[in-house]
Amino acid sequence: PLHAYVCSFHWALTQFTPATQNLAPVTTIERFFANVTVLVALVTFSTFLGKMTTAMTQLLNLNAKIYQQEAMLRRFLGENKIPAAMAQRVWQVCRQQQQSNARQQVPTLLD
């Protein structure tokens, strides 16, 4: 019985990983179980991959917005010849606001 459990566990692991597999379903019930296991693995992996892709896209969009706002601020400060001390203070406030917003908007995999 222990050998059967170990073989079953090994087979199940090979369905989720690129590990070698020297076991194959023989009966209809075994083949049905194999198909269900592969489908569960496919859905699980696809869901995980979709969540990761969504999180990365949200992060990239957030960063793109920040870069665009910084470019606009840089252009404004330069075109209006804002003194260096004042520009530095504006940048400090801008960075603090960005950090505060970033803490509230970072996407998580659990969302």
Side-chain angles (χ1 to χ4, degrees), residues 2-105:
L2 180 62
H3 179 73
Y5 285 116
V6 171
C7 287
S8 298
F9 184 68
H10 175 255
W11 177 85
L13 287 177
T14 61
Q15 299 304 304
F16 291 95
T17 63
T20 61
Q21 175 185 345
N22 56 359
L23 302 170
V26 176
T27 66
T28 303
I29 293 172
E30 289 173 349
R31 190 159 304 279
F32 176 76
F33 183 76
N35 288 334
V36 169
T37 303
V38 170
L39 287 174
V40 168
L42 177 68
V43 169
T44 302
F45 180 72
S46 298
T47 302
F48 173 74
L49 187 61
K51 291 256 184 203
M52 289 295 293
T53 302
T54 300
M56 291 302 295
T57 301
Q58 288 176 348
L59 190 59
L60 288 172
N61 288 341
L62 181 64
N63 285 339
K65 184 178 178 181
I66 290 171
Y67 294 144
Q68 183 181 19
Q69 289 173 345
E70 285 180 356
M72 287 173 46
L73 179 58
R74 196 174 294 112
R75 186 171 49 246
F76 175 82
L77 294 173
E79 288 175 355
N80 292 292
K81 297 180 176 58
I82 305 297
M86 175 66 81
Q88 185 177 10
R89 180 67 180 134
V90 169
W91 277 110
Q92 287 174 348
V93 172
C94 180
R95 296 284 186 217
Q96 289 171 352
Q97 187 64 38
Q98 285 174 351
Q99 289 173 353
S100 174
N101 289 344
R103 278 187 233 113
Q104 296 170 1
Q105 296 177 0

